[in-house]
Amino acid sequence: MSHKPHILEFKPSEIEQVIKAQGYEPYRAKQIIAWIYVKFASSFEEMTDLPKGLRAYLAENFEFSRLSIVTLQEQESDGSKRYLWGIHGDPLAESVLLEYKYGSTACLSTQAGCPVGCEFCASGRLGFQRNLAKGEILSQFLGMCGESRKRISRVVFMGTGEPFFNYEAVLGAIDMLTDPSTYDLSRRRVTVSTVGIPGAVRKFAEDSHGVRLAVSLHGSSDRVRNRLIPVNKVYPLDEVIASARYFARVTGQRITFEYILLRGVNDSREDAVKLAGLISGIDCLVNLIPWNPVPGIGFERSDPDVRNEFKNILERNRVKVTVRRRLGGNIEAACGQLRRST
Ligand code: SAH
Ligand code: SF4
């Protein structure tokens, strides 16, 4: 095990300080940053326009191994790719690259396993190993850029894990990727999806600076939500909604409520009416998600006509609604359905 600090943990200004302290010109820092965030290098040796001495100093003092690909599956029908990343071949995290008409979207994991344990979610069923470091979150993204040779223009934190249980690392990774001197990703094209941790949602209203928020509801009563999402017993629905309302008001941004439709569980007309009432007055969009079947879990997806009726009720109550297109379904690559083991 190496105890050297990882270069992906360093902000551009910090890299500059390190370089200056060694007596090199500040533009050397810019070269290093370009190698990492523009050319997607994965070792210091590749940085051929740096003086040999500087390369040797960096290699001696900093870790620069990115997560490596353990498996990569591509779905030909829609071009989506599912990456399983590991350290020395040991699986650690999964991510998905989704292709849309308007560009490529990276769906990233924030934890190895998830401590929340939602009933319908493959990640939740696996248990929890640990939080991912900021560098490990960045590594998924940079690895996909390097492998796919695509300009990835959107990021969603909808892989394995609850982003707000790893708040600092997720925020740090977002700050890195959206820095104009690194990858310069637009903050408006980054979405953090949370199961609904009210304190963190309120804090995020101050820290988000344009980053979008999605809140996973999946129920319009505590009775239903308690059954699906264990942490609802700690953070009941009213508190989750109040924090979302606060976020939308303070940031002036439309938020998304995710709602997986599960047959006979949360898809009745009454559920839809209650949902519309609950979120009324919040600038929001409801994203209705067809459930991706997880082997061994006894839920079923709602029928299309039930889904349409649910959608109509929301719309009649002036709620904006979209239905998520299923991507990556055949290789189980859809966001929110990632599992660590292959
Ligand atoms: N922990 C966060 C983010 C990761 S899950 C959260 O729960 O929001 C991202 C989204 O995928 C969530 O809305 C989650 O409810 C959803 N999801 C989980 N399992 C799913 C499945 N089997 N089919 C469809 N969506 C799923
Ligand atoms: Fe964790 Fe989100 Fe899955 Fe729930 S839905 S278990 S919070 S990853």
Side-chain angles (χ1 to χ4, degrees):
M1 274 287 273
S2 157
H3 296 292
K4 293 187 273 190
H6 203 291
I7 195 74
L8 291 180
E9 301 290 331
F10 286 71
K11 296 180 190 151
S13 59
E14 294 166 338
I15 295 182
E16 207 165 294
Q17 278 168 18
V18 168
I19 294 307
K20 265 199 202 148
Q22 290 305 305
Y24 290 97
E25 295 284 324
Y27 79 92
R28 295 294 184 194
K30 292 203 173 61
Q31 287 179 306
I32 297 169
I33 291 161
W35 276 108
I36 300 173
Y37 293 95
V38 181
K39 295 183 238 178
F40 313 115
S42 50
S43 72
F44 293 115
E45 294 90 82
E46 285 168 62
M47 304 183 181
T48 44
D49 54 3
L50 298 182
K52 268 215 167 104
L54 177 55
R55 268 186 272 163
Y57 166 80
L58 291 169
E60 238 163 70
N61 292 279
F62 297 91
E63 187 62 51
F64 191 178
S65 53
R66 287 203 314 231
L67 299 179
S68 55
I69 294 173
V70 180
T71 57
L72 170 56
Q73 288 170 271
E74 183 164 5
Q75 178 149 342
E76 271 168 32
S77 60
D78 60 18
S80 63
K81 286 179 173 179
R82 171 191 171 203
Y83 298 76
L84 177 65
W85 306 100
I87 300 175
H88 306 305
D90 280 339
L92 180 71
E94 273 185 296
S95 29
V96 183
L97 187 61
L98 301 159
E99 298 300 338
Y100 295 97
K101 277 191 221 89
Y102 50 74
S104 304
T105 298
C107 173
L108 305 180
S109 292
T110 57
Q111 300 183 303
C114 184
V116 180
C118 300
E119 287 298 319
F120 50 82
C121 174
S123 311
R125 285 298 180 100
L126 272 178
F128 176 60
Q129 286 84 49
R130 67 169 174 83
N131 275 339
L132 298 180
K134 177 174 103 177
E136 290 168 338
I137 297 171
L138 288 171
S139 198
Q140 297 168 52
F141 182 86
L142 298 172
M144 285 195 271
C145 292
E147 191 282 325
S148 69
R149 297 275 144 204
K150 291 226 162 83
R151 169 78 197 178
I152 301 175
S153 54
R154 281 167 210 266
V155 169
V156 295
F157 288 94
M158 294 186 184
T160 304
E162 168 49 41
F164 286 164
F165 284 163
N166 192 13
Y167 193 91
E168 295 302 326
V170 171
L171 261 276
I174 294 172
D175 287 344
M176 276 304 274
L177 292 178
T178 58
D179 190 311
S181 73
T182 62
Y183 189 84
D184 199 18
L185 183 72
S186 159
R187 290 186 79 89
R188 293 179 190 286
R189 293 182 171 179
V190 177
T191 301
V192 174
S193 172
T194 177
V195 74
I197 313 297
V201 169
R202 285 170 192 272
K203 182 165 169 17
F204 192 55
E206 320 302 326
D207 297 338
S208 57
H209 304 291
V211 173
R212 308 282 163 169
L213 179 71
V215 178
S216 298
L217 280 187
H218 312 325
S220 51
S221 68
D222 281 322
R223 186 185 56 80
V224 171
R225 219 169 173 261
N226 282 344
R227 176 176 167 200
L228 298 175
I229 304 173
V231 290
N232 192 70
K233 294 180 190 111
V234 187
Y235 308 112
L237 189 54
D238 278 351
E239 287 179 30
V240 173
I241 296 291
S243 68
R245 196 180 289 279
Y246 173 86
F247 183 93
R249 185 162 49 79
V250 168
T251 63
Q253 280 203 31
R254 175 171 297 167
I255 68 168
T256 300
F257 288 115
E258 294 158 284
Y259 198 105
I260 302 174
L261 287 169
L262 299 166
R263 183 190 290 179
V265 175
N266 63 2
D267 63 354
S268 70
R269 288 155 195 261
E270 295 73 52
D271 288 316
V273 171
K274 237 189 266 167
L275 176 61
L278 206 55
I279 62 178
S280 84
I282 304 179
D283 183 13
C284 68
L285 175 83
V286 172
N287 190 6
L288 297 176
I289 306 173
W291 184 60
N292 262 315
V294 179
I297 299 184
F299 290 118
E300 281 171 279
R301 191 181 301 164
S302 304
D303 293 329
D305 50 338
V306 170
R307 186 174 71 211
N308 286 338
E309 179 60 9
F310 200 94
K311 182 169 182 269
N312 289 341
I313 293 173
L314 290 177
E315 282 173 343
R316 279 204 293 276
N317 285 278
R318 289 187 300 281
V319 175
K320 295 180 190 67
V321 193
T322 55
V323 177
R324 182 183 286 178
R325 191 155 76 89
R326 258 179 94 232
L327 273 169
N330 293 348
I331 54 167
E332 300 178 319
C335 290
Q337 211 216 352
L338 303 182
R339 63 188 79 216
R340 199 176 67 110
S341 55
T342 40

